[in-house]
Amino acid sequence: MAVATATALSVAALASAGVSAYAQNEASRMQQKQANYNAKLAENRALAERQRISAEQTRLARQQREQRGRAAASIASRGGMMGGTDLLALAELAKNQSVDQLELTRQSGIARDQGAAEARAQRFAGKSARYTGRLGAASSVVSGLSSAYNAQALYGEGDSFLGMELPKN
């Protein structure tokens, strides 16, 4: 009776450990897949933002060309020459337009860097979850083996368990 009890307890402990280890491993695998998906989303959001900024740069460049053309036409319609105050106004306009374009370039770089940083963080979180899951699975197996060993040591009548000598009571 004691041998059957010890065997049943050992089998139950090992089965429980196996199921627990499998569940932890699968859960961590799913967490890593989700983190990789989130990383791809972050990269796609950053790409979409950069494309939006690029379209804005194109629109702004067209608008700025038209603005410079209207300014030059206004000066010419007055019979003015490109000098003095008119030249200073055109230079100021060109400077402001360049600053606007540079700001959009800066925003595009920020979007790129933020997307890349978020993607790296998500991938790291996935790897960390996977590693933690593997450690948990290994811990479950060791715990199950320990429980099975203890059941054999307490209730079994044999001298060994999985090739290990049991302590004498």
Side-chain angles (χ1 to χ4, degrees), residues 121-136:
Q122 288 290 339
R123 286 192 178 95
F124 179 78
K127 286 179 184 178
S128 178
R130 186 74 169 130
Y131 180 74
T132 302
R134 286 179 177 158
L135 285 178

Side-chain angles (χ1 to χ4, degrees), residues 86-106:
D86 292 334
L87 186 57
L88 288 175
L90 286 175
E92 182 69 17
L93 178 65
K95 178 190 71 114
N96 291 339
Q97 290 175 346
S98 293
V99 168
D100 291 343
Q101 286 290 340
L102 287 172
E103 175 58 21
L104 289 174
T105 300
R106 184 187 73 82

Side-chain angles (χ1 to χ4, degrees), residues 1-164:
M1 173 76 171
V3 172
T5 301
T7 302
L9 288 174
S10 295
V11 168
L14 292 174
S16 174
V19 168
S20 179
Y22 177 78
Q24 286 180 334
N25 191 50
E26 284 302 300
S28 69
R29 191 174 64 80
M30 287 296 122
Q31 285 176 324
Q32 186 175 30
K33 283 181 79 171
Q34 182 64 45
N36 288 339
Y37 175 79
N38 290 342
K40 191 65 175 167
L41 281 179
E43 290 171 342
N44 289 342
R45 279 192 304 270
L47 178 61
E49 179 64 10
R50 289 175 54 213
Q51 289 172 341
R52 184 198 65 76
I53 291 170
S54 178
E56 175 67 14
Q57 281 181 306
T58 301
R59 184 199 61 76
L60 183 61
R62 184 176 51 251
Q63 181 183 351
Q64 289 173 342
R65 279 191 306 273
E66 291 169 0
Q67 192 177 23
R68 284 190 306 269
R70 282 193 303 274
S74 173
I75 293 169
S77 71
R78 291 192 320 261
M81 297 178 57
M82 295 279 188
T85 306
D86 292 334
L87 186 57
L88 288 175
L90 286 175
E92 182 69 17
L93 178 65
K95 178 190 71 114
N96 291 339
Q97 290 175 346
S98 293
V99 168
D100 291 343
Q101 286 290 340
L102 287 172
E103 175 58 21
L104 289 174
T105 300
R106 184 187 73 82
Q107 289 175 9
S108 179
I110 289 171
R112 180 197 62 231
D113 294 346
Q114 284 178 335
E118 185 179 344
R120 279 192 307 272
Q122 288 290 339
R123 286 192 178 95
F124 179 78
K127 286 179 184 178
S128 178
R130 186 74 169 130
Y131 180 74
T132 302
R134 286 179 177 158
L135 285 178
S139 174
S140 292
V141 169
V142 169
S143 177
L145 286 171
S146 174
S147 294
Y149 178 84
N150 287 337
Q152 282 292 327
L154 290 174
Y155 302 107
E157 294 181 0
D159 292 354
S160 67
F161 171 72
L162 298 177
M164 298 181 288

